[in-house]
mmCIF file of all heavy atoms in Angstrom:
data_model
loop_
_atom_site.group_PDB
_atom_site.id
_atom_site.type_symbol
_atom_site.label_atom_id
_atom_site.label_comp_id
_atom_site.label_asym_id
_atom_site.label_seq_id
_atom_site.Cartn_x
_atom_site.Cartn_y
_atom_site.Cartn_z
ATOM 1 N N SER A 1509 -4.867 -34.333 -30.499
ATOM 2 C CA SER A 1509 -3.512 -34.178 -29.871
ATOM 3 C C SER A 1509 -3.618 -33.501 -28.478
ATOM 4 O O SER A 1509 -4.667 -32.967 -28.116
ATOM 5 C CB SER A 1509 -2.578 -33.378 -30.756
ATOM 6 O OG SER A 1509 -2.720 -31.951 -30.487
ATOM 7 N N PHE A 1510 -2.469 -33.520 -27.782
ATOM 8 C CA PHE A 1510 -2.537 -32.917 -26.441
ATOM 9 C C PHE A 1510 -2.700 -31.423 -26.512
ATOM 10 O O PHE A 1510 -2.908 -30.818 -25.435
ATOM 11 C CB PHE A 1510 -1.166 -33.225 -25.750
ATOM 12 C CG PHE A 1510 0.005 -32.424 -26.248
ATOM 13 C CD1 PHE A 1510 0.276 -31.194 -25.754
ATOM 14 C CD2 PHE A 1510 0.849 -32.969 -27.203
ATOM 15 C CE1 PHE A 1510 1.342 -30.432 -26.242
ATOM 16 C CE2 PHE A 1510 1.935 -32.226 -27.694
ATOM 17 C CZ PHE A 1510 2.177 -30.935 -27.229
ATOM 18 N N LYS A 1511 -2.581 -30.822 -27.642
ATOM 19 C CA LYS A 1511 -2.713 -29.366 -27.742
ATOM 20 C C LYS A 1511 -4.046 -28.928 -27.150
ATOM 21 O O LYS A 1511 -4.229 -27.704 -26.783
ATOM 22 C CB LYS A 1511 -2.519 -28.927 -29.187
ATOM 23 C CG LYS A 1511 -1.149 -29.212 -29.761
ATOM 24 C CD LYS A 1511 0.063 -28.600 -29.055
ATOM 25 C CE LYS A 1511 1.325 -28.548 -29.761
ATOM 26 N NZ LYS A 1511 1.884 -29.778 -30.343
ATOM 27 N N THR A 1535 3.168 -26.412 -36.348
ATOM 28 C CA THR A 1535 3.523 -27.572 -37.191
ATOM 29 C C THR A 1535 2.236 -28.356 -37.522
ATOM 30 O O THR A 1535 2.365 -29.422 -38.107
ATOM 31 C CB THR A 1535 4.575 -28.460 -36.515
ATOM 32 O OG1 THR A 1535 4.093 -28.966 -35.259
ATOM 33 C CG2 THR A 1535 5.893 -27.660 -36.349
ATOM 34 N N ASN A 1537 -0.704 -29.241 -35.250
ATOM 35 C CA ASN A 1537 -1.646 -29.564 -34.093
ATOM 36 C C ASN A 1537 -2.100 -28.419 -33.296
ATOM 37 O O ASN A 1537 -3.263 -28.327 -32.876
ATOM 38 C CB ASN A 1537 -1.034 -30.657 -33.267
ATOM 39 C CG ASN A 1537 -1.123 -32.014 -33.842
ATOM 40 O OD1 ASN A 1537 -1.993 -32.305 -34.746
ATOM 41 N ND2 ASN A 1537 -0.219 -32.910 -33.516
ATOM 42 N N THR A 1538 -1.165 -27.464 -33.042
ATOM 43 C CA THR A 1538 -1.650 -26.281 -32.319
ATOM 44 C C THR A 1538 -2.660 -25.524 -33.192
ATOM 45 O O THR A 1538 -3.670 -25.082 -32.618
ATOM 46 C CB THR A 1538 -0.369 -25.316 -32.009
ATOM 47 O OG1 THR A 1538 0.448 -26.024 -31.174
ATOM 48 C CG2 THR A 1538 -0.826 -24.047 -31.443
ATOM 49 N N LYS A 1566 -3.953 -32.508 -40.251
ATOM 50 C CA LYS A 1566 -3.878 -31.327 -39.397
ATOM 51 C C LYS A 1566 -4.359 -30.138 -40.301
ATOM 52 O O LYS A 1566 -5.096 -29.275 -39.749
ATOM 53 C CB LYS A 1566 -2.505 -31.123 -38.923
ATOM 54 C CG LYS A 1566 -1.907 -32.346 -38.115
ATOM 55 C CD LYS A 1566 -0.518 -32.052 -37.704
ATOM 56 C CE LYS A 1566 0.074 -33.346 -37.091
ATOM 57 N NZ LYS A 1566 1.463 -33.126 -36.641
ATOM 58 N N GLN A 1614 -1.745 -27.663 -20.124
ATOM 59 C CA GLN A 1614 -1.041 -28.918 -20.488
ATOM 60 C C GLN A 1614 -0.453 -29.642 -19.287
ATOM 61 O O GLN A 1614 -0.219 -30.873 -19.306
ATOM 62 C CB GLN A 1614 0.086 -28.595 -21.489
ATOM 63 C CG GLN A 1614 -0.549 -28.305 -22.872
ATOM 64 C CD GLN A 1614 0.532 -27.844 -23.912
ATOM 65 O OE1 GLN A 1614 0.160 -27.101 -24.811
ATOM 66 N NE2 GLN A 1614 1.787 -28.117 -23.712
ATOM 67 N N PRO A 1635 8.232 -36.534 -26.362
ATOM 68 C CA PRO A 1635 8.934 -35.931 -27.524
ATOM 69 C C PRO A 1635 9.126 -34.494 -27.175
ATOM 70 O O PRO A 1635 8.310 -33.858 -26.557
ATOM 71 C CB PRO A 1635 7.930 -36.091 -28.679
ATOM 72 C CG PRO A 1635 6.773 -36.782 -28.215
ATOM 73 C CD PRO A 1635 6.950 -36.922 -26.715
ATOM 74 N N VAL A 1636 10.167 -33.807 -27.730
ATOM 75 C CA VAL A 1636 10.426 -32.422 -27.497
ATOM 76 C C VAL A 1636 10.536 -31.672 -28.887
ATOM 77 O O VAL A 1636 11.340 -31.978 -29.707
ATOM 78 C CB VAL A 1636 11.707 -32.218 -26.719
ATOM 79 C CG1 VAL A 1636 12.051 -30.720 -26.525
ATOM 80 C CG2 VAL A 1636 11.589 -32.929 -25.335
ATOM 81 N N GLY A 1637 9.663 -30.700 -29.027
ATOM 82 C CA GLY A 1637 9.709 -29.890 -30.206
ATOM 83 C C GLY A 1637 9.954 -28.401 -29.790
ATOM 84 O O GLY A 1637 11.140 -28.001 -29.647
ATOM 85 N N ASN A 1638 8.921 -27.705 -29.631
ATOM 86 C CA ASN A 1638 8.985 -26.321 -29.101
ATOM 87 C C ASN A 1638 9.238 -26.331 -27.586
ATOM 88 O O ASN A 1638 9.429 -25.322 -26.997
ATOM 89 C CB ASN A 1638 7.834 -25.476 -29.476
ATOM 90 C CG ASN A 1638 8.124 -24.041 -29.829
ATOM 91 O OD1 ASN A 1638 9.258 -23.694 -30.137
ATOM 92 N ND2 ASN A 1638 7.125 -23.206 -29.715
ATOM 93 N N ALA A 1639 9.159 -27.448 -27.020
ATOM 94 C CA ALA A 1639 9.562 -27.713 -25.618
ATOM 95 C C ALA A 1639 8.483 -27.215 -24.623
ATOM 96 O O ALA A 1639 8.801 -27.202 -23.373
ATOM 97 C CB ALA A 1639 10.957 -27.229 -25.268
ATOM 98 N N GLY A 1640 7.324 -26.882 -25.023
ATOM 99 C CA GLY A 1640 6.268 -26.435 -24.139
ATOM 100 C C GLY A 1640 5.783 -27.608 -23.281
ATOM 101 O O GLY A 1640 5.458 -27.477 -22.049
ATOM 102 N N ASN A 1641 5.666 -28.756 -23.872
ATOM 103 C CA ASN A 1641 5.018 -29.866 -23.212
ATOM 104 C C ASN A 1641 5.860 -30.476 -22.112
ATOM 105 O O ASN A 1641 5.370 -30.764 -20.958
ATOM 106 C CB ASN A 1641 4.571 -31.010 -24.212
ATOM 107 C CG ASN A 1641 3.294 -31.669 -23.758
ATOM 108 O OD1 ASN A 1641 2.457 -31.131 -23.033
ATOM 109 N ND2 ASN A 1641 3.120 -32.907 -24.260
ATOM 110 N N ALA A 1690 5.898 -32.722 -36.384
ATOM 111 C CA ALA A 1690 5.429 -32.005 -35.160
ATOM 112 C C ALA A 1690 6.578 -31.555 -34.300
ATOM 113 O O ALA A 1690 6.458 -30.633 -33.433
ATOM 114 C CB ALA A 1690 4.536 -32.881 -34.339
ATOM 115 N N ILE A 1691 7.821 -32.116 -34.474
ATOM 116 C CA ILE A 1691 8.938 -31.719 -33.713
ATOM 117 C C ILE A 1691 10.067 -31.251 -34.604
ATOM 118 O O ILE A 1691 11.244 -31.290 -34.249
ATOM 119 C CB ILE A 1691 9.408 -32.882 -32.740
ATOM 120 C CG1 ILE A 1691 9.705 -34.200 -33.531
ATOM 121 C CG2 ILE A 1691 8.416 -33.095 -31.618
ATOM 122 C CD1 ILE A 1691 10.317 -35.282 -32.665
ATOM 123 N N ILE A 1693 11.651 -28.533 -35.312
ATOM 124 C CA ILE A 1693 11.757 -27.192 -34.808
ATOM 125 C C ILE A 1693 13.308 -26.947 -34.421
ATOM 126 O O ILE A 1693 13.820 -27.800 -33.772
ATOM 127 C CB ILE A 1693 10.846 -27.005 -33.552
ATOM 128 C CG1 ILE A 1693 9.406 -27.013 -34.057
ATOM 129 C CG2 ILE A 1693 11.188 -25.689 -32.785
ATOM 130 C CD1 ILE A 1693 8.421 -26.954 -32.891
ATOM 131 N N GLU A 1737 1.002 -40.553 -34.122
ATOM 132 C CA GLU A 1737 1.687 -39.937 -35.220
ATOM 133 C C GLU A 1737 3.238 -40.100 -35.017
ATOM 134 O O GLU A 1737 3.668 -40.400 -33.900
ATOM 135 C CB GLU A 1737 1.277 -38.521 -35.489
ATOM 136 C CG GLU A 1737 1.599 -37.500 -34.324
ATOM 137 C CD GLU A 1737 1.250 -36.107 -34.739
ATOM 138 O OE1 GLU A 1737 2.084 -35.541 -35.485
ATOM 139 O OE2 GLU A 1737 0.203 -35.592 -34.389
ATOM 140 N N ALA A 1739 5.857 -38.184 -34.640
ATOM 141 C CA ALA A 1739 6.537 -37.395 -33.576
ATOM 142 C C ALA A 1739 6.301 -38.074 -32.252
ATOM 143 O O ALA A 1739 7.223 -38.159 -31.360
ATOM 144 C CB ALA A 1739 6.076 -36.011 -33.584
ATOM 145 N N SER A 1740 5.108 -38.454 -32.053
ATOM 146 C CA SER A 1740 4.749 -39.124 -30.773
ATOM 147 C C SER A 1740 5.584 -40.378 -30.409
ATOM 148 O O SER A 1740 5.920 -40.607 -29.227
ATOM 149 C CB SER A 1740 3.248 -39.616 -30.770
ATOM 150 O OG SER A 1740 2.442 -38.581 -31.174
ATOM 151 N N THR A 1767 1.766 -38.130 -28.128
ATOM 152 C CA THR A 1767 1.219 -36.815 -28.186
ATOM 153 C C THR A 1767 0.051 -36.595 -29.182
ATOM 154 O O THR A 1767 -0.801 -35.659 -28.949
ATOM 155 C CB THR A 1767 2.370 -35.833 -28.506
ATOM 156 O OG1 THR A 1767 3.137 -36.474 -29.526
ATOM 157 C CG2 THR A 1767 3.253 -35.565 -27.292
ATOM 158 N N GLY A 1768 0.017 -37.336 -30.289
ATOM 159 C CA GLY A 1768 -0.988 -37.127 -31.320
ATOM 160 C C GLY A 1768 -1.445 -38.448 -31.947
ATOM 161 O O GLY A 1768 -0.729 -39.426 -31.895
HETATM 162 C C1 PLP B 785 3.317 -30.096 -30.436
HETATM 163 C C2 PLP B 785 3.634 -31.512 -30.660
HETATM 164 C C3 PLP B 785 4.854 -32.055 -30.067
HETATM 165 C C4 PLP B 785 5.946 -31.199 -29.477
HETATM 166 O O1 PLP B 785 5.505 -30.642 -28.272
HETATM 167 P P1 PLP B 785 6.273 -29.304 -27.754
HETATM 168 O O2 PLP B 785 5.410 -28.772 -26.710
HETATM 169 O O3 PLP B 785 6.336 -28.401 -28.931
HETATM 170 O O4 PLP B 785 7.608 -29.739 -27.387
HETATM 171 C C5 PLP B 785 5.042 -33.446 -30.175
HETATM 172 N N1 PLP B 785 4.125 -34.157 -30.767
HETATM 173 C C6 PLP B 785 2.984 -33.782 -31.308
HETATM 174 C C7 PLP B 785 2.028 -34.730 -31.922
HETATM 175 C C8 PLP B 785 2.705 -32.445 -31.231
HETATM 176 O O5 PLP B 785 1.573 -31.984 -31.759
#
Side-chain angles (χ1 to χ4, degrees):
S1509 87
F1510 75 85
K1511 300 298 199 304
T1535 59
N1537 282 334
T1538 295
K1566 306 178 188 180
Q1614 285 170 210
V1636 176
N1638 214 24
N1641 214 25
I1691 53 172
I1693 292 176
E1737 65 173 280
S1740 310
T1767 44

